[in-house]
Amino acid sequence: EQINDIYQMSENLLGLAACAYAQKKPPLSVLSRAETLARTYNYNFLLGRTETIRGDIEFDIGNYRKAFTHYGHACRFMANYNRLKYR
């Protein structure tokens, strides 16, 4: 049951990061906390969302190479999530 709470906390932190980013505020500290939780418990879906947000941030400031590196990582995490989900 505690793991579900941690998943929810990480998901909520990602939501906060997305809201902060939409309001043009730097979400990096919140995003880092969400990523740490997701990595600790190997939540591939949330790690994919984290990388997507990081990619969006880099893309918007013109760092296209970094952005697409993050998008590539996001795809890898999502592929791992789906592989586990449909096994």
Side-chain angles (χ1 to χ4, degrees), residues 6-79:
I6 291 171
Y7 186 92
Q8 186 67 46
M9 184 186 321
S10 183
E11 195 170 45
N12 289 342
L13 288 169
L14 283 174
L16 287 172
C19 288
Y21 176 65
Q23 296 175 359
K24 306 295 183 201
K25 297 178 184 175
L28 298 178
S29 64
V30 175
L31 197 56
S32 293
R33 286 181 57 203
E35 182 179 19
T36 299
L37 288 173
R39 282 194 190 283
T40 300
Y41 292 95
N42 201 29
Y43 295 142
N44 286 312
F45 180 75
L46 298 180
L47 288 167
R49 285 188 55 205
T50 300
E51 289 294 337
T52 299
I53 293 169
R54 289 189 187 282
D56 292 345
I57 292 168
E58 294 294 345
F59 190 89
D60 284 348
I61 60 175
N63 293 334
Y64 302 116
R65 186 176 300 268
K66 284 184 178 182
F68 283 99
T69 298
H70 285 295
Y71 293 145
H73 292 309
C75 288
R76 181 176 47 90
F77 284 122
M78 292 305 189

